[in-house]
Amino acid sequence: MNVVVCIKQVPDTEQPIRVKPDGSGIEEQGLNWILNYYDEHAVEEALRLRERHGGTVTVVCAGPARATEAIRTALAMGADEGILVSDPLLEGTDHLGLARALAQAIQRLSWDVVLCGRLATDDNAAVVGPALAEFLGVPQATAITRLEVGEGVARVEREVEGGVEVLEVQLPAVFTVERTINEPRYPTLPGIMRAKRQEIRTLTLADLGLAGAGAEGEAARVRYVRFDPPPRRETGEVIRPENPEEAAERIAAFLRDVAKVL
Amino acid sequence: MEGIWVLAEHTAGQLRRITLELLGKGRALADARGSRLVALVLGHGVEPLAGPLAEHGADGVLLADHPSLASYGVEAYTHVMSRAIHEHRPWAVLVPSTANGRDLAPRVAARLGAGIVTDVEDLWVEGEQLVARRPMYTRKAVGTVAFVGDGPRIAVMLPKVFPPADRQEGRRAEVRRLEVNLETVPVRTRVVERREVRRERVSLVEAEIVVSGGRGLRGPENFALLEELAAELGAAVGSSRPPVDSGWVPHDYEIGQTGKTVSPTVYIAVGISGAPQHLAGMSGSKYIIAINKDPNAPIFQVASLGVVGDLFEIVPRLVAAVRRLRARA
Ligand SMILES: Cc1cc2nc3c(=O)[nH]c(=O)nc-3n(C[C@H](O)[C@H](O)[C@H](O)COP(=O)(O)OP(=O)(O)OC[C@H]3O[C@@H](n4cnc5c(N)ncnc54)[C@H](O)[C@@H]3O)c2cc1C
Ligand SMILES: Nc1ncnc2c1ncn2[C@@H]1O[C@H](COP(=O)(O)O)[C@@H](O)[C@H]1O
């Protein structure tokens, strides 16, 4: 069972985000970059598949040179190999372009399952997984909370409105994982040491035979034109009522008179 | 049938509320472009939905009616939707951000080479361009993104952001049936079981009022307090992450970065401190009411009404107060 995990490096969600004064993007200086939260779960699930079924775990990440740190985190958790897809031409690409590049990188490997996170916490797109499945020509299941792999077929669970769906999906396939699928392990010290020394292959679009083939920024069908800070919420009132009765009355009055929902 | 399309999601023979929201937004876009609003329906036995779709603003209804479309499956749905878009060339397609909409839309976009923007909370026409706005970076920034080039534009729209279209009784639409041929479509995913997560009233993302509990509730039994309040208000119950991690409530309840995004009219945060990852899922609410015993809790910085006090004393009395007001109304 060979598993490929797609990982992204994103800003730590614990820290504030500042939009550049000219609205062209966010201030990257001083940001702490980490492995996307859901991708930790994807790496964990891949390691569990390897523990149960043997095989290899390869992580693939598209991004600038700093993204190798995210790859090292995954290697320290126990992944066997890391590949960085990096090319200035990818600047300004959209999620479909990115998925094309990742698909091309994955196609060069031997794989049975591709795991992605449910979404990347920076742009919240949730696009790359299904797009990747389409470009690889395989079935998909998104936001899965459980994965059991059998002979050529996987049984997965997926949260939908008001319930859970159990699906059988033929392999090879792409899955995006929800956080409840597992509890990711922490990297071990020997793991961290090993990851530090490990070689990470870098591939450009030309290496992937993709120069001018729709993965570069030029071909993007959507383009960010501006970033703004979130709209300021009108500052409200914080009250310290004398007693709980008064507190209850004030809230009820708010519901009736301001929110007008009673 | 070019123009603006809305993918009409439905359940148990009824249009979902989000479909009505998209029809409202779609109507405005169609008017801005002087074009038609078309609803695309996939399913089996879906003809009765044409009436309500017309009454909520659709000029045209495209029915893809087939036994194999009775429930969602990614291969069949991708095939039918991609074919329909390819053939009829809509200018833009609005898709609801539901579990299935998020599964389907990116795959369709990939098949067609379409532009796709997800988590859309506003959408407008600027000259010949379609422009969208979306929260990013756990709602610490807002991105404005434009579709470029020709070809289909797919916008996956957040629920509870756009008001549902008004119903105009007797309004009619041109109804057409799409030819559905699925013989050549390999089906490699199969639903073998569906389990319900029981909800007393409305779903969390569609609710007008959300009552949400955090670690301050101390245990699963105390969620009954919130249930009682929610029942009185016709609200849905949600939670921050610790109650999920402690197994007090299912993950379906979780609101925030790693849970659901909700934008109700009123969000009542009970015993929730207001961590950024929680705010990521609820700071788009119209009004936020917070009950917390710590006057320095960050939730008060986003609250429209913050109440410093003990939730165990306040919530039962709030249930009674709401009951009194409703009896009077
Ligand atoms: C990657 C990542 C993703 C995350 N995703 C999410 C997410 O999606 N959603 C989410 O919610 N969190 C998420 N978190 C966790 C988040 O950081 C906070 O830990 C969490 O939101 C805290 O939940 P809480 O407010 O219920 O608990 P606490 O922060 O412990 O707050 C409990 C509050 O209850 C108050 N309280 C206690 N007793 C009473 C009482 N009797 N009466 C009134 N008030 C009382 C306290 O004053 C306190 O403010 C995430 C964290 C990480 C690292
Ligand atoms: N730059 C990237 N490199 C590798 N994988 C990515 C990248 N961006 C997104 N992914 C994968 O796609 C998932 C969803 O990302 P997104 O569609 O951007 O929300 C992530 O959790 C990753 O698994």
Side-chain angles (χ1 to χ4, degrees):
Chain A
M1 169 79 25
N2 295 331
V3 185
V4 173
V5 188
C6 293
I7 63 171
K8 186 177 188 187
Q9 191 189 39
V10 297
D12 191 345
T13 58
E14 294 280 351
Q15 56 194 343
I17 293 286
R18 277 173 305 129
V19 173
K20 287 185 186 162
D22 67 358
S24 64
I26 60 158
E27 287 297 357
E28 296 205 349
Q29 254 213 334
L31 278 190
N32 182 30
W33 296 87
I34 58 168
L35 172 56
N36 178 38
Y37 175 79
Y38 288 99
D39 301 350
E40 277 182 38
H41 291 270
V43 171
E44 175 63 33
E45 200 58 25
L47 297 174
R48 292 185 188 190
L49 285 176
R50 188 184 64 191
E51 280 155 14
R52 260 176 269 144
H53 305 279
T56 59
V57 174
T58 307
V59 296
V60 180
C61 174
R66 63 165 155 71
T68 49
E69 282 313 305
I71 296 180
R72 289 201 199 280
T73 305
L75 292 173
M77 286 173 74
D80 298 291
E81 213 193 323
I83 298 171
L84 178 71
V85 177
S86 201
D87 198 316
L89 286 174
L90 277 171
E91 179 77 23
T93 190
D94 57 10
H95 290 89
L96 295 193
L98 195 78
R100 273 195 194 92
L102 292 172
Q104 200 63 26
I106 292 167
Q107 229 130 27
R108 300 151 62 98
L109 307 167
S110 131
W111 58 278
D112 307 287
V113 169
V114 174
L115 297 178
C116 292
R118 172 164 79 94
L119 53 81
T121 58
D122 53 354
D123 58 22
N124 246 62
V127 168
V128 170
L132 195 54
E134 173 66 18
F135 294 137
L136 290 169
V138 300
Q140 75 188 43
T142 50
I144 66 170
T145 54
R146 202 183 154 90
L147 170 62
E148 273 169 53
V149 169
E151 203 50 56
V153 62
R155 199 179 168 89
V156 306
E157 295 186 5
R158 165 173 180 257
E159 274 180 20
V160 297
E161 284 73 18
V164 173
E165 241 176 39
V166 186
L167 293 159
E168 272 178 11
V169 182
Q170 283 174 36
L171 300 182
V174 174
F175 302 113
T176 77
V177 305
E178 179 54 84
R179 79 169 183 91
T180 48
I181 195 167
N182 58 39
E183 199 49 60
R185 70 196 62 188
Y186 289 105
T188 59
L189 198 56
I192 294 169
M193 299 311 289
R194 187 165 20 82
K196 267 196 183 136
R197 290 191 306 270
Q198 212 159 327
E199 197 201 336
I200 294 171
R201 256 193 301 159
T202 301
L203 299 173
T204 62
L205 290 187
D207 293 334
L208 294 171
L210 269 182
E216 68 284 4
E218 292 255 293
R221 289 289 328 275
V222 301
R223 193 162 292 150
Y224 277 90
V225 290
R226 202 175 65 245
F227 292 85
D228 292 292
R232 280 183 64 93
R233 291 195 66 87
E234 262 177 62
T235 38
E237 194 189 0
V238 179
I239 59 170
R240 293 168 178 251
E242 296 282 319
N243 52 54
E245 281 76 20
E246 188 197 329
E249 288 304 331
R250 289 293 294 272
I251 297 170
F254 184 94
L255 291 171
R256 182 190 56 191
D257 303 331
V258 183
K260 300 192 165 57
V261 290
L262 282 187
Chain B
M1 288 219 183
E2 70 313 320
I4 307 292
W5 282 18
V6 166
L7 178 67
E9 220 180 275
H10 50 92
T11 175
Q14 300 275 321
L15 297 175
R16 275 192 193 277
R17 183 194 151 101
I18 190 168
T19 301
L20 305 182
E21 295 167 5
L22 268 49
L23 286 170
K25 188 71 207 175
R27 185 70 261 166
L29 291 176
D31 291 344
R33 281 193 51 83
S35 67
R36 307 200 328 142
L37 177 65
V38 175
L40 171 66
V41 195
L42 279 65
H44 186 49
V46 286
E47 193 151 357
L49 294 175
L53 285 166
E55 290 190 330
H56 287 90
D59 304 311
V61 177
L62 285 175
L63 298 173
D65 203 311
H66 192 280
S68 301
L69 298 175
S71 64
Y72 176 74
V74 64
E75 287 101 346
Y77 271 56
T78 302
H79 175 80
V80 170
M81 188 164 162
S82 307
R83 282 292 298 268
I85 294 174
H86 183 73
E87 233 161 80
H88 296 277
R89 311 229 148 258
W91 191 71
V93 183
L94 315 192
V95 178
S97 186
T98 55
N100 292 343
R102 287 190 297 269
D103 196 67
L104 173 66
R107 187 138 194 170
V108 169
R111 186 159 301 178
L112 296 169
I116 177 165
V117 180
T118 57
D119 270 10
V120 173
E121 64 175 13
D122 201 3
L123 190 64
W124 65 94
V125 178
E126 234 173 80
E128 267 305 297
Q129 257 187 348
L130 182 64
V131 187
R133 199 162 57 211
R134 59 194 306 277
M136 298 175 73
Y137 299 99
T138 50
R139 281 190 183 266
K140 291 171 199 152
V142 180
T144 303
V145 57
F147 289 82
V148 291
D150 284 332
R153 302 155 182 86
I154 298 180
V156 182
M157 317 281 284
L158 287 174
K160 290 289 290 177
V161 181
F162 310 100
D166 289 330
R167 177 163 174 246
Q168 294 164 263
E169 222 179 305
R171 199 176 175 286
R172 296 176 132 325
E174 179 197 350
V175 180
R176 270 211 254 162
R177 282 177 167 272
L178 288 171
E179 206 186 303
V180 179
N181 186 348
L182 294 168
E183 268 157 38
T184 56
V185 181
V187 174
R188 294 166 294 186
T189 60
R190 196 165 64 86
V191 176
V192 291
E193 193 190 329
R194 248 178 258 273
R195 289 196 298 268
E196 308 259 305
V197 173
R198 211 170 65 92
R199 283 218 167 252
E200 295 292 334
R201 291 164 299 273
V202 280
S203 85
L204 192 51
V205 290
E206 292 184 346
E208 204 66 54
I209 307 177
V210 171
V211 179
S212 191
R215 179 151 33 211
L217 261 85
R218 283 199 217 130
E221 63 287 355
N222 295 325
F223 266 81
L225 272 177
L226 301 192
E227 275 296 343
E228 209 182 328
L229 177 58
E232 208 55 57
L233 291 168
V237 177
S239 78
S240 64
R241 178 157 149 176
V244 175
D245 285 345
S246 307
W248 304 346
V249 294
H251 179 245
D252 175 64
Y253 277 53
E254 183 174 322
I255 292 164
Q257 182 194 321
T258 50
K260 294 192 162 64
T261 297
V262 299
S263 322
T265 305
V266 181
Y267 186 88
I268 308 181
V270 183
I272 292 177
S273 63
Q277 295 91 352
H278 186 72
L279 300 185
M282 46 64 80
S283 60
S285 306
K286 184 145 186 230
Y287 298 104
I288 295 170
I289 300 176
I291 304 174
N292 198 304
K293 67 179 182 190
D294 173 8
N296 297 317
I299 190 78
F300 287 137
Q301 288 165 22
V302 297
S304 329
L305 175 66
V307 180
V308 182
D310 186 336
L311 73 93
F312 295 103
E313 293 183 355
I314 296 173
V315 174
R317 289 172 175 86
L318 178 56
V319 174
V322 169
R323 195 171 291 151
R324 273 198 305 280
L325 284 190
R326 289 197 35 207
R328 234 179 285 157

